[in-house]
């Protein structure tokens, strides 16, 4: 059996501390460079370099590989080369009040523009009342009044000349021009009118009607004069107001003449103020009642139209933004329109339009988590629409518009690069089921979980540790500690020739090792501190493993490590608790007898197995048929189960183990209980590699240690898993001292020889297996079952 034993030097691959140029990280160059992700970094930079529609980026990979932090760093690097984005303001639309206008301008100019408009409105509010109460204005107004009064009096004189013929006179009153009857060339008094007889009254009314018919044109001319008076007074006011506006607003227009949108807005504002100049006049204070919406409130409400909503202020920014939106809800991304409750009614205006993170990132980059944005369907659909149309539209989606007045702000042009970070599974779902995703996210940057264990990468990890020490104020790490970190990195990667790219797991050990060094009053972190940090981390999480070991030690869970048994074998599985993974031995038993059912998987029958496990069991039937039953029908019933297993089972790493037990049962030869087995098998009997090999070996070793090591204990692993071995020092010492063995096999035949101590047997020239071999005995039993089956049929 010696030829199957894994050499001692293959059980672990130590790191040479001398690879590091200096004795501690204090003298090593500190670097935050992303290590071992050349492919992902090239894709990320390529995607950020393309300024074309649809070339947004999906960053895939597992948590802890640096996909978040380095996506931000690379985006920041690109952002630093681009100029700061525009400022954006929302202003009142004087032509379409429900559609506020968006005005863009150079970064930092928005704040100035807002102040300029505020100052102009304030100045205008002072100057308009002054102008309309000035002596010059009053003189002009009086001149107009006098002129029109003379015109009206002249017409009235003509009318009175006519009225004298009817013994009447016309007088201008508050109720207009009225005709009054005369008596002795004097207007009749009310007493005289009351003393008139009925006949006199009727005669007077008849005369009055005739006169009024003839006076109609004169009265109309007087009213026209009054209308002209009102119009000319209004024109005089507007001319005076316009003169004020020209002095202030035209100066502003000249200042912003390079921005057509601002000039258009200011001209519209000027025209609106001319129409509503009266809103700038002071109200009579006595008209206000506290707590009631009266003229002052209406005026303040009205005056909001002249305010500027500085929507996006990029003042002081020298380069493009990089925004990480951690809660990408619809409103957080696209902004919203806020409302206020006034006497039970919800009201809003252009000053209550609020930006979202897309506005903040406009002109730069935004980083989103795939899982977060997909949880909000409105946000995901809105993002795709914004990228497609290249504009950001603000609209409320809560149904609030039904019970309140609403606005439709003008959309803002969108110039942005979107980086979505997620896992491979979500990428495949989106790519296969969302056609828009394919068009809009054409670049994928995939962060690997491991890298090659080259000297260059080893030194880079040393620089990474040096960076952490410098940034976090940690103690320096010596060469031995760095070597231990490299070995632990290979252990996480489960490969002697690889290093993990899950730097968050390394950082945890770095921080904890610094603490242990501090507790031991050491000024430099050593290998002992690294080992202690790893041990204590495991100790904090291995309660379940210890409980299982205790049950096995007390034979509550029956695992035997001595003797030999037919159809019984120790299999190995792993239990993943998140922060801790450990190997658990499980007893697998097989019973065989005549029948037609084939191989019965008890776990499958009770629905406790996964599809991969079921596939592994079904492969066993293919192996038996191909190897032993080519000349006769396979008449067999075999019952296979994991004993004392009360939860789900999946994976095919126990398929070879089950096959060994099946062959043992058929051959009637016992299996050594001191040897546990892991590895999957194909239909041709070739052993295939599995995962978690270190944990499986160490898990069985711990149980053997509990029950007492005799030197016969060991584990059979697939030949291909040798490069995955990064075993703990205790296990290596046990192997070195001959107390524990690790075998590697390529085929089922090799494994069955180790487990039974009997040759597997090969086919001779006649197509028969040599007598006494395991394969001979299996074939003989299967032929026997077939013959019995024929007799019964």
């Amino acid at each position: 059996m010696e030829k199957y034993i894994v050499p001692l030097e293959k059980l672990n691959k130590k790191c040479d501390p001398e690879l590091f140029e200096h004795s501690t990280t204090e003298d090593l160059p500190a670097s935050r460079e992303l290590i071992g992700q050349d492919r992902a970094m090239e894709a990320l930079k390529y995607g950020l370099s393309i300024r074309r529609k649809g070339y947004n980026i999906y960053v895939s990979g597992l948590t802890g590989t640096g996909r978040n932090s380095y996506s931000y760093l690379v985006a920041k690097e690109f952002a630093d080369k681009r100029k700061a984005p525009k400022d954006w303001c929302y202003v009142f639309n004087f032509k379409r009040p429900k559609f506020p206008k968006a005005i863009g301008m150079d970064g930092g100019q928005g704040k100035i523009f807002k102040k300029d408009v505020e100052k102009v409105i304030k100045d205008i509010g002072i100057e308009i009342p002054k102008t309309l109460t000035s002596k010059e204005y009053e003189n002009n107004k009086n001149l107009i009044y006098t002129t029109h009064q003379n015109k009206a009096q002249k017409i009235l004189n003509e009318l009175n000349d006519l009225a004298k013929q009817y013994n009447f006179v016309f007088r201008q009153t508050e109720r207009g021009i009225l005709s009054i009857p005369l008596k002795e060339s004097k207007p009749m008094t009310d007493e005289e009118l009351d003393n008139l007889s009925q006949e006199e009254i009727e005669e007077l009314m008849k005369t009055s009607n005739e006169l009024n018919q003839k006076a109609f044109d004169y009265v109309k001319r007087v009213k026209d004069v009054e209308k002209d008076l009102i119009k000319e007074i209004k024109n005089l006011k507007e001319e005076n107001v316009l003169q004020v506006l020209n002095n202030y607003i035209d100066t502003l227009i000249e200042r912003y003449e390079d921005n057509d949108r601002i000039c258009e807005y200011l001209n519209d504002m000027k025209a609106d103020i001319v129409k509503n100049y009266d809103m700038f006049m002071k109200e009579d204070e006595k008209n206000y009642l506290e707590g009631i919406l009266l003229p002052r409130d209406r005026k303040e409400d009205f005056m909001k139209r002249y305010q500027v909503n500085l929507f996006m202020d990029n003042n002081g920014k020298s380069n493009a933004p990089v925004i990480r939106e951690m809660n990408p809800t619809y409103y957080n991304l696209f902004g919203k329109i806020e409302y206020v409750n006034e006497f039970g009614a919800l009201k809003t205006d252009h000053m209550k339009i609020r930006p979202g993170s897309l506005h903040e990132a406009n002109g730069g980059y935004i980083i989103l988590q795939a899982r977060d944005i997909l949880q909000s369907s409105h946000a995901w659909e809105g993002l795709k629409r914004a990228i497609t149309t290249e504009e950001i539209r603000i609209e409320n989606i809560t149904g609030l518009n039904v019970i309140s007045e609403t606005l439709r702000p003008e959309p803002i042009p969108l110039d942005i690069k979107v980086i979505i970070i997620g896992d491979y599974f979500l990428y495949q779902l989106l790519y296969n089921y969302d056609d828009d995703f394919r068009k809009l996210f054409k670049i994928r940057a995939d962060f690997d979980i491991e890298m090659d264990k080259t000297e260059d990468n080893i030194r880079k990890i040393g620089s990474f540790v040096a960076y952490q020490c410098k940034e976090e104020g940690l103690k320096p790490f010596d060469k031995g500690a760095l070597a231990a970190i490299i070995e632990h990195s290979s252990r996480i990667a489960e490969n002697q020739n690889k290093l993990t790219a899950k730097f968050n797991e390394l950082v945890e050990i770095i921080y904890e090792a610094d603490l242990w060094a501090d507790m031991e009053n050491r000024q430099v972190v050593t290998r002992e501190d690294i080992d202690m940090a790893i041990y204590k981390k495991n100790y904090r999480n291995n309660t379940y493993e210890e409980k299982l070991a205790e049950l096995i030690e007390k034979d509550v869970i029956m695992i035997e490590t001595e003797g030999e048994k037919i159809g019984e074998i120790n299999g190995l599985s792993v239990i993943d608790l998140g922060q801790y993974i450990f190997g658990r031995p499980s007893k697998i038993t097989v019973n065989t007898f005549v029948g037609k059912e084939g191989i019965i998987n008890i776990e499958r029958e009770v629905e406790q197995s996964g599809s991969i496990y079921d596939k592994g069991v079904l492969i066993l039937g293919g192996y038996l048929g191909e190897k032993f039953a080519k000349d006769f029908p396979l008449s067999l019933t075999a019952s296979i189960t994991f004993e004392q297993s009360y939860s789900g089972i999946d994976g095919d790493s126990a398929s070879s183990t089950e096959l060994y037990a099946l062959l043992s049962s058929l051959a009637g030869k016992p299996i050594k209980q001191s040897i546990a087995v892991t590895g999957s098998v194909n239909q041709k009997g070739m052993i295939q590699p599995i995962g978690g090999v270190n944990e499986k070996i160490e898990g069985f070793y711990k149980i053997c240690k509990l029950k007492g090591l005799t030197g016969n204990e060991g584990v059979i692993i697939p030949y291909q898993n040798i490069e995955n071995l990064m075993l703990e020092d205790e296990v290596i010492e046990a192997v070195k001292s001959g107390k524990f063995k690790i075998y590697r096999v390529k085929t089922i035949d090799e494994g069955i020889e180790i487990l039974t101590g009997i040759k597997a047997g090969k086919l001779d020239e006649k197509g028969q297996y040599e007598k006494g071999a395991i394969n001979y005995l299996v074939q003989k039993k299967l032929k026997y079952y077939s013959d019995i089956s024929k007799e019964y049929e």
Side-chain angles (χ1 to χ4, degrees):
M1 300 297 103
E2 293 296 323
K3 64 180 178 180
Y4 298 122
I5 293 178
V6 178
L8 188 66
E9 65 273 9
K10 296 287 187 180
L11 301 182
N12 199 322
K13 190 173 183 180
K14 297 292 184 181
C15 174
D16 182 6
E18 297 307 317
L19 286 173
F20 302 102
E21 298 174 356
H22 301 281
S23 57
T24 69
T25 53
E26 205 165 22
D27 300 318
L28 285 176
S31 171
R32 197 184 178 185
E33 176 189 358
L34 183 60
I35 311 165
Q37 300 288 3
D38 295 341
R39 189 193 309 273
M41 293 301 287
E42 181 180 328
L44 190 57
K45 290 180 178 179
Y46 182 72
L48 293 175
S49 299
I50 300 178
R51 306 300 301 170
R52 293 288 182 272
K53 186 177 179 179
Y55 282 89
N56 297 290
I57 304 163
Y58 186 98
V59 178
S60 61
L62 297 181
T63 301
T65 54
R67 55 183 188 165
N68 279 291
S69 56
Y70 284 97
S71 294
Y72 177 79
L73 287 175
V74 175
K76 196 77 175 65
E77 179 184 326
F78 275 76
D80 290 343
K81 298 175 184 176
R82 298 179 62 187
K83 66 177 184 179
K86 285 183 175 182
D87 285 351
W88 285 93
C89 296
Y90 269 110
V91 296
F92 186 78
N93 189 336
F94 297 101
K95 295 175 181 175
R96 303 179 69 194
K98 297 300 181 184
F99 298 84
K101 285 185 175 182
I103 299 179
M105 57 199 76
D106 293 339
Q109 201 175 47
K111 193 173 184 180
I112 299 170
F113 175 66
K114 179 180 174 68
K115 287 183 178 179
D116 285 345
V117 172
E118 287 176 354
K119 187 176 185 307
V120 161
I121 294 298
K122 183 179 179 181
D123 292 342
I124 288 172
I126 296 170
E127 290 300 319
I128 287 179
K130 278 186 182 180
T131 300
L132 298 184
T133 56
S134 66
K135 187 175 181 181
E136 182 182 356
Y137 169 77
E138 289 296 335
N139 291 336
N140 290 332
K141 186 173 72 169
N142 290 334
L143 180 60
I144 294 172
Y145 268 119
T146 302
T147 302
H148 284 75
Q149 192 174 16
N150 291 337
K151 288 182 180 179
Q153 189 60 49
K154 183 178 178 182
I155 297 170
L156 195 59
N157 291 339
E158 293 177 8
L159 182 58
N160 280 322
D161 290 341
L162 174 66
K164 285 179 182 178
Q165 300 174 16
Y166 293 86
N167 204 27
F168 271 81
V169 66
F170 281 91
R171 294 286 174 85
Q172 186 82 30
T173 69
E174 292 179 354
R175 292 183 296 168
I177 299 175
L178 297 179
S179 58
I180 302 171
L182 297 175
K183 184 176 182 181
E184 298 177 358
S185 299
K186 292 182 181 180
M188 294 180 67
T189 64
D190 291 339
E191 184 179 354
E192 289 174 334
L193 287 172
D194 290 339
N195 292 329
L196 292 176
S197 65
Q198 185 63 32
E199 292 180 357
E200 289 174 331
I201 291 172
E202 289 178 358
E203 183 65 26
L204 190 63
M205 289 181 65
K206 181 179 177 183
T207 305
S208 177
N209 288 336
E210 289 180 5
L211 175 61
N212 286 339
Q213 288 179 2
K214 292 184 178 181
F216 178 79
D217 289 339
Y218 293 93
V219 173
K220 183 176 178 300
R221 285 167 59 194
V222 171
K223 289 182 178 179
D224 287 342
V225 170
E226 291 175 352
K227 288 180 183 178
D228 288 343
L229 172 62
I230 294 171
K231 184 178 180 181
E232 288 196 32
I233 293 296
K234 185 173 181 292
N235 289 339
L236 175 64
K237 288 182 178 179
E238 289 181 355
E239 286 174 9
N240 280 267
V241 169
L242 190 58
Q243 190 175 357
V244 172
L245 298 181
N246 288 340
N247 291 337
Y248 288 95
I249 294 182
D250 284 2
T251 305
L252 212 54
I253 292 173
E254 289 177 11
R255 188 178 304 169
Y256 294 99
E257 61 183 354
D258 294 335
N259 193 319
D260 294 338
R261 298 277 291 175
I262 291 179
C263 293
E264 181 186 359
Y265 165 69
L266 293 175
N267 281 315
D268 289 345
M269 179 198 285
K270 184 199 291 188
D272 188 76
I273 293 174
V274 169
K275 293 178 184 177
N276 299 286
Y277 60 85
D278 53 317
M279 298 302 293
F280 289 83
M281 303 300 291
K282 292 182 180 180
E283 299 285 347
D284 188 355
E285 294 291 337
K286 67 182 180 181
N287 290 332
Y288 306 136
L289 293 175
E290 187 177 353
I292 300 177
L293 188 66
L294 283 175
R296 178 184 298 169
D297 302 298
R298 289 198 295 269
K299 179 178 177 180
E300 288 178 359
D301 217 28
F302 181 87
M303 294 300 288
K304 286 181 181 178
R305 65 170 60 199
Y306 304 119
Q307 295 178 15
V308 173
N309 179 358
L310 182 52
F311 185 70
M312 277 309 306
D313 181 14
N314 290 302
N315 183 42
K317 296 179 182 177
S318 57
N319 43 50
V322 180
I323 302 298
R324 286 189 280 196
E325 178 53 71
M326 304 311 294
N327 184 24
T329 62
Y330 183 86
Y331 291 125
N332 283 354
L333 280 176
F334 296 94
K336 66 186 297 185
I337 304 168
E338 295 179 345
Y339 291 83
V340 293
N341 190 327
E342 288 188 3
F343 302 100
L346 296 176
K347 299 186 68 176
T348 188
D349 55 66
H350 70 283
M351 296 301 293
K352 293 181 177 61
I353 305 172
R354 301 290 179 255
S357 51
L358 274 180
H359 297 99
E360 293 177 28
N362 199 6
Y365 309 86
I366 189 168
I367 301 174
L368 306 168
Q369 299 299 315
R371 192 171 299 276
D372 293 336
I373 191 169
L374 290 176
Q375 288 177 345
S376 174
S377 59
H378 291 300
W380 176 239
E381 293 301 323
L383 178 65
K384 292 189 295 181
R385 184 166 55 250
I387 297 173
T388 302
T389 60
E390 295 183 315
E391 63 181 26
I392 319 172
R393 190 177 294 276
I394 302 174
E395 52 189 350
N396 288 350
I397 57 171
T398 58
L400 201 60
N401 301 343
V402 177
I403 59 171
S404 63
E405 66 178 34
T406 188
L407 301 176
R408 292 289 299 275
E410 186 178 7
I412 290 175
L414 179 64
D415 175 21
I416 201 170
K417 185 74 73 172
V418 181
I419 301 171
I420 289 183
I421 298 175
D423 55 35
Y424 179 75
F425 176 70
L426 283 178
Y427 176 82
Q428 289 299 318
L429 280 179
L430 290 168
Y431 191 85
N432 291 324
Y433 296 103
D434 192 330
D435 292 337
D436 294 329
F437 177 77
R438 299 186 198 179
K439 299 174 184 176
L440 301 175
F441 291 85
K442 295 180 180 179
I443 301 295
R444 178 183 168 212
D446 189 22
F447 277 66
D448 202 350
I449 59 171
E450 62 184 23
M451 69 189 89
D452 292 334
K453 191 178 183 179
T454 63
E455 290 186 7
D456 184 48
N457 283 340
I458 289 172
R459 291 192 181 96
K460 284 181 178 178
I461 289 182
S463 295
F464 171 78
V465 176
Y467 173 82
Q468 292 296 325
C469 293
K470 180 181 177 182
E471 288 296 308
E472 303 297 331
L474 307 179
K475 291 178 172 60
F477 284 56
D478 68 12
K479 288 183 177 183
L482 293 176
I485 290 172
I486 297 299
E487 291 162 18
H488 184 63
S489 178
S490 291
R491 164 87 178 199
I492 296 171
E494 295 189 67
N495 196 308
Q496 295 178 354
N497 302 311
K498 298 286 184 179
L499 296 169
T500 185
K502 297 178 181 177
F503 286 98
N504 63 328
E505 295 191 30
L506 296 183
V507 168
E508 288 178 20
I509 299 301
I510 292 169
Y511 290 167
E512 293 179 28
D514 175 74
L515 176 61
W516 286 110
D518 191 55
M519 293 173 70
E520 295 294 329
N521 294 318
R522 278 194 280 267
Q523 298 304 311
V524 176
V525 180
T526 65
R527 175 182 280 271
E528 292 178 26
D529 301 312
I530 300 294
D531 292 342
M532 180 58 75
I534 294 170
Y535 169 75
K536 286 296 184 179
K537 182 181 179 183
N538 292 340
Y539 177 73
R540 292 195 299 270
N541 295 283
N542 70 351
T543 305
Y544 185 45
E545 181 186 24
E546 289 187 356
K547 295 292 184 185
L548 284 177
E550 185 180 336
L551 294 174
I552 292 172
E553 185 181 18
K554 294 178 179 179
D555 288 331
V556 176
I557 297 176
M558 294 181 287
I559 301 292
E560 297 172 77
T561 59
E562 293 183 2
E564 298 180 348
K565 290 195 173 183
I566 295 174
E568 294 187 23
I569 192 170
N570 288 324
L572 296 171
S573 61
V574 290
I575 295 177
D576 190 345
L577 300 177
Q579 287 198 1
Y580 185 65
I581 301 174
F582 67 93
R584 176 198 171 179
S586 299
K587 181 181 283 293
I588 298 172
T589 61
V590 177
N591 289 330
T592 55
F593 40 92
V594 180
K596 294 289 187 180
E597 287 83 356
I599 297 173
I600 298 173
N601 170 12
I602 292 177
E603 273 71 28
R604 183 176 64 183
E605 297 299 317
V606 296
E607 298 182 349
Q608 280 191 354
S609 62
S611 58
I612 298 176
Y613 175 78
D614 294 339
K615 177 185 176 184
V617 174
L618 292 172
I619 284 173
L620 306 187
Y623 173 82
L624 292 178
E626 196 269 345
K627 190 155 187 171
F628 303 111
K630 287 184 176 179
D631 300 326
F632 56 86
L634 193 63
S635 303
L636 165 74
T637 297
S639 174
I640 300 177
T641 188
F642 271 71
E643 300 291 353
Q644 293 181 287
S645 172
Y646 307 108
S647 58
I649 297 174
D650 204 2
D652 64 351
S653 64
S655 57
S656 69
T657 314
E658 293 165 331
L659 183 52
Y660 292 134
L662 180 59
L663 295 176
S664 167
S665 179
L666 289 170
K669 296 297 180 182
I671 284 175
K672 298 172 185 176
Q673 300 301 294
S674 59
I675 300 176
V677 180
T678 184
S680 69
V681 65
N682 64 21
Q683 291 191 113
K684 301 297 182 180
M686 303 299 294
I687 302 298
Q688 300 169 145
I690 44 80
V693 64
N694 294 297
E695 289 80 7
K696 290 176 179 178
I697 293 171
E698 290 163 1
F700 189 65
Y701 168 79
K702 290 174 183 177
I703 300 304
C704 294
K705 183 182 176 184
L706 277 176
K707 290 182 173 284
L709 290 167
T710 64
N712 296 319
E713 294 82 7
V715 173
I716 295 176
I717 65 170
Y719 183 88
Q720 301 94 319
N721 281 121
I722 290 176
E723 70 171 12
N724 303 116
L725 295 175
M726 289 296 294
L727 294 169
E728 294 176 351
D729 291 342
E730 183 181 348
V731 178
I732 296 172
E733 284 300 318
V735 172
K736 187 177 181 181
S737 60
K739 295 178 181 179
F740 197 75
K741 297 180 179 64
I742 299 172
Y743 304 93
R744 81 285 186 279
V745 295
K746 295 180 180 178
T747 65
I748 288 292
D749 287 348
E750 293 178 354
I752 200 66
E753 288 181 0
I754 297 171
L755 290 166
T756 62
I758 302 172
K759 285 186 177 181
K762 296 181 180 180
L763 289 171
D764 58 20
E765 295 176 355
K766 297 179 181 180
Q768 301 293 322
Y769 290 105
E770 54 186 297
K771 288 187 178 182
I774 294 292
N775 289 334
Y776 171 80
L777 296 173
V778 171
Q779 190 173 49
K780 182 178 178 182
K781 180 63 70 71
L782 290 173
K783 182 68 169 67
Y784 172 70
Y785 285 166
S786 179
D787 292 341
I788 291 178
S789 180
K790 286 179 183 177
E791 290 178 12
Y792 276 102
E793 287 175 359

